[in-house]
Amino acid sequence: MTTLALRDRLNDIVSYGSEAIEAVGNLSADQILAERFREHTVLRTVQIVGEAAAQLIKLDPAMSERIPDLRRAIQLRNVLVHGYTKIRMDEIVLIVRTDMPGLVSRAADILGEQDT
């Protein structure tokens, strides 16, 4: 089960997810939008997490059971990339604050399991 590609995608989720959490911090959506660089950082890191989640499930479909928020991350990525619907920054902030920590933590746990 441990392949370099799986580890890389898990690492992407951990590193970019952590970066998204840090970029959001305690700021409001309006504060994030006032800093264009921060806005782009949040949106791009969330997008990368979703892409990594999609690739992870392709490599190992059982990962969707081990990391329940993967499918939500993929859906959010698709909305951001393809613009299926308009999503507001306050929704992104809420998702980063409520869903991203668990996603990052579970991916880090799986990486830790593979190291032992």
Side-chain angles (χ1 to χ4, degrees), residues 1-115:
M1 146 134 155
T2 303
T3 68
L4 181 56
L6 278 174
R7 289 188 60 77
D8 286 348
R9 296 305 69 80
L10 288 165
N11 277 317
D12 286 344
I13 290 170
V14 172
S15 64
Y16 286 99
S18 296
E19 189 174 340
I21 293 166
E22 184 179 334
V24 166
N26 292 322
L27 300 175
S28 70
D30 287 338
Q31 289 172 309
I32 292 168
L33 291 170
E35 295 180 50
R36 196 157 177 83
F37 185 77
R38 185 178 300 271
E39 174 190 2
H40 288 217
T41 299
V42 171
L43 295 175
R44 182 66 176 141
T45 53
V46 168
Q47 187 178 342
I48 292 170
V49 168
E51 182 60 31
Q55 295 303 316
L56 192 61
I57 288 177
K58 284 181 186 174
L59 292 166
D60 183 355
M63 282 291 176
S64 64
E65 294 174 22
R66 296 190 69 193
I67 309 175
D69 289 329
L70 285 178
R71 296 218 182 268
R72 183 163 163 88
I74 295 165
Q75 290 169 347
L76 181 56
R77 178 251 178 227
N78 290 342
V79 168
L80 290 172
V81 171
H82 300 292
Y84 296 138
T85 60
K86 289 284 185 183
I87 189 159
R88 298 185 336 236
M89 183 56 75
D90 58 332
E91 294 173 90
I92 299 288
V93 167
L94 180 63
I95 291 167
V96 169
R97 287 192 179 132
T98 59
D99 296 343
M100 194 69 70
L103 181 66
V104 168
S105 176
R106 190 63 194 121
D109 289 346
I110 293 170
L111 281 169
E113 291 169 9
Q114 294 177 355
D115 289 338

